[in-house]
Amino acid sequence: TVADAGSGSRALATCTVRGSINHDEYFHVAHIVRPGETLSSTFHESRVGGKGANQAVAVALAAGGGESSGSNPAKVKFYGTIGHDGAWIRERMREVGVGVEGILVSETELTGRAIIQVDERGENSIILFPGANYSTLHEDAFRAQSLTTAGTGGYFPHSTHLLLQNEIPLEATLSAIHSAKVSSQPPRQSQLGGQRDTIVIINPSPLPARDTISAFPWEKVDWLIVNEDEARELFEAFGGGVGRGGGDGKVEAARELVHALGGMEAFRNTSVVCTLGAKGVLARQCGVEKGMEIVYVPAAKLRGGVPKDTTGAGDCFAGYFVCELMGMADAHDDSADKEGTDFKLTQMELEKLLKVAVQAAGMCCEKSGTIDSYPTRREVEERMK
Ligand code: ADP
Ligand code: NA
């Protein structure tokens, strides 16, 4: 176990992110290219992208990465697949403190890619090439390993939290969830000897088709992170009334929607976090006293007042949110009366955690770029003083 020098508390929580990793290629153009047209771009740039990689980077930064005192060993490990053309992306992730041993290199596929045209007004148009994100190298290795070692180890050894999105094959996501919740590995021991399960957090973006939504094992998901549109789409996919939480720009309408969504049978075991862009975030914790479930935190005040680039704000939020959850799990582990990972947060704890995530996501909107605009932990704390 790793002792957190200074505070004396034991930092045990670790996170696995299983997801997408992309080479984002930006082309600045006078206008978005038209059918049949050939257009020269005025500026070109390659960046790290993919929701999985973005969120892993955000967890790492939230855990102190990107600063000289970055956490060691890594608090977050990323499992994904690149091609031989993606080594530089793995290097960038390593630099901010992401554990990259779980990044496999496909012999036959290229790194997933986003070809992004940005016009003079900031409008964009994107072509996605999934590439190695759709490789089954991880699942194949896992199957081979379970056959030879009678189920020891599991897909993701030694992690208390599992963070997922929806930019890899559904089979890969399901396999990861299955491994976290019902794998044949022995239950993890908490510091105090109790048994604990892996906490599963999913930001199911982009949302799958409705039949996939209704067949998804939501009962194994502890925290669902969605934006307002996704919340409405999920609600309707489960037969909720159309037009609920009517997108009238009011927090009250969104609160009603989150309340209704979280109250559905499918989400009986799932807490729902719904981000509301410039309005902030709502969270509904399942299994807590009636009337105490929902917490609202407004968006952070932006320097300069208006956002510069909100790309990847949702991923920044998700990463910081999960790192804060991990911190709460460690804190609860330290107190003898609150054992294990299935504790409930108090309203105050939930609010405190959301405030950090909202501050980080807000700071990401003040600069252009995706992970390049994610703040370090120190920068977030500085701003919250
Ligand atoms: P997504 O990008 O996934 O659709 P949102 O637009 O809800 O997600 O943004 C995620 C979070 O980023 C919000 O909860 C908020 O904290 C922050 N955020 C987004 N847009 C703004 C904004 N214009 N001003 C301040 N914060 C913002
Ligand atoms: Na940004």
Side-chain angles (χ1 to χ4, degrees):
T1 56
V2 187
D4 180 5
S7 72
S9 71
R10 293 158 298 193
L12 297 171
T14 54
C15 179
T16 289
V17 180
R18 168 75 176 105
S20 59
I21 176 167
N22 284 343
H23 172 181
D24 281 2
E25 219 176 341
Y26 289 80
F27 296 88
H28 289 211
V29 288
H31 59 265
I32 306 289
V33 69
R34 290 188 272 264
E37 186 183 22
T38 300
L39 192 60
S40 268
S41 70
T42 53
F43 182 72
H44 171 267
E45 187 170 31
S46 282
R47 293 182 168 179
V48 176
K51 290 181 69 66
N54 291 348
Q55 293 185 14
V57 166
V59 177
L61 291 172
E67 288 161 357
S68 51
S69 60
S71 62
N72 193 22
K75 294 281 283 174
V76 52
K77 292 184 175 149
F78 178 77
Y79 285 70
T81 311
I82 55 176
H84 282 291
D85 58 330
W88 64 276
I89 301 176
R90 184 176 46 198
E91 212 35 54
R92 297 270 168 89
M93 292 176 73
R94 192 208 309 275
E95 281 163 14
V96 296
V98 177
V100 297
E101 300 78 15
I103 298 183
L104 299 180
V105 181
S106 167
E107 289 300 326
T108 54
E109 285 151 304
L110 291 173
T111 304
R113 195 173 289 217
I115 309 282
I116 307 164
Q117 296 180 54
V118 185
D119 77 9
E120 282 165 349
R121 293 169 307 169
E123 207 65 58
N124 67 37
S125 134
I126 305 174
I127 299 170
L128 264 185
F129 168 65
N133 289 312
Y134 267 58
S135 118
T136 57
L137 283 182
H138 280 286
E139 290 67 40
D140 298 344
F142 176 51
R143 261 190 297 272
Q145 182 199 21
S146 347
L147 289 176
T148 54
T149 60
T152 52
Y155 201 141
F156 308 122
H158 320 303
S159 94
T160 56
H161 292 66
L162 172 66
L163 174 57
L164 300 161
Q165 311 77 29
N166 191 33
E167 290 185 340
I168 56 173
L170 180 67
E171 187 220 339
T173 298
L174 294 177
S175 165
I177 292 178
H178 182 75
S179 166
K181 288 297 189 190
V182 293
S183 74
S184 46
Q185 57 188 302
R188 282 178 244 301
Q189 300 288 305
S190 81
Q191 187 75 8
L192 298 168
Q195 295 184 344
R196 57 196 303 174
D197 223 346
T198 298
I199 297 292
V200 175
I201 306 105
I202 185 164
N203 169 221
S205 201
L207 273 183
R210 285 204 173 176
D211 52 340
T212 305
I213 290 176
S214 45
F216 196 83
W218 297 109
E219 73 282 359
K220 297 201 175 80
V221 174
D222 299 282
W223 291 88
L224 170 69
I225 304 177
V226 285
N227 65 24
E228 208 173 347
D229 289 336
E230 290 159 351
R232 192 170 304 113
E233 177 64 28
L234 277 178
F235 183 65
E236 288 172 13
F238 282 105
V242 177
R244 191 117 183 207
D248 58 0
K250 299 236 171 65
V251 174
E252 272 322 301
R255 184 192 294 264
E256 207 182 294
L257 172 67
V258 170
H259 186 72
L261 179 68
M264 290 182 134
E265 180 59 20
F267 302 109
R268 166 176 94 255
N269 301 326
T270 309
S271 296
V272 178
V273 176
C274 181
T275 61
L276 310 172
K279 285 178 295 180
V281 64
L282 281 163
R284 179 190 188 277
Q285 198 179 183
C286 75
V288 301
E289 198 183 320
K290 260 204 160 32
M292 303 287 276
E293 305 101 325
I294 296 201
V295 171
Y296 168 67
V297 171
K301 274 216 162 57
L302 303 185
R303 282 209 174 138
V306 286
K308 179 150 191 222
D309 179 3
T310 60
T311 315
D315 293 334
C316 183
F317 175 91
Y320 264 84
F321 174 82
V322 170
C323 188
E324 290 305 295
L325 264 190
M326 290 159 66
M328 295 278 176
D330 283 337
H332 278 254
D333 243 12
D334 274 344
S335 67
D337 56 330
K338 296 172 184 167
E339 174 69 8
T341 44
D342 65 344
F343 60 90
K344 299 296 169 192
L345 299 170
T346 65
Q347 265 190 320
M348 260 174 64
E349 284 173 327
L350 184 53
E351 190 180 331
K352 193 170 152 213
L353 176 169
L354 292 170
K355 276 185 176 157
V356 175
V358 149
Q359 182 62 60
M363 289 169 79
C364 144
C365 300
E366 295 173 349
K367 293 189 194 167
S368 71
T370 306
I371 66 161
D372 313 274
S373 66
Y374 289 1
T376 62
R377 169 119 225 148
R378 194 188 312 229
E379 288 166 343
V380 172
E381 283 175 357
E382 203 52 45
R383 198 72 81 82
M384 290 182 83
K385 271 182 187 159

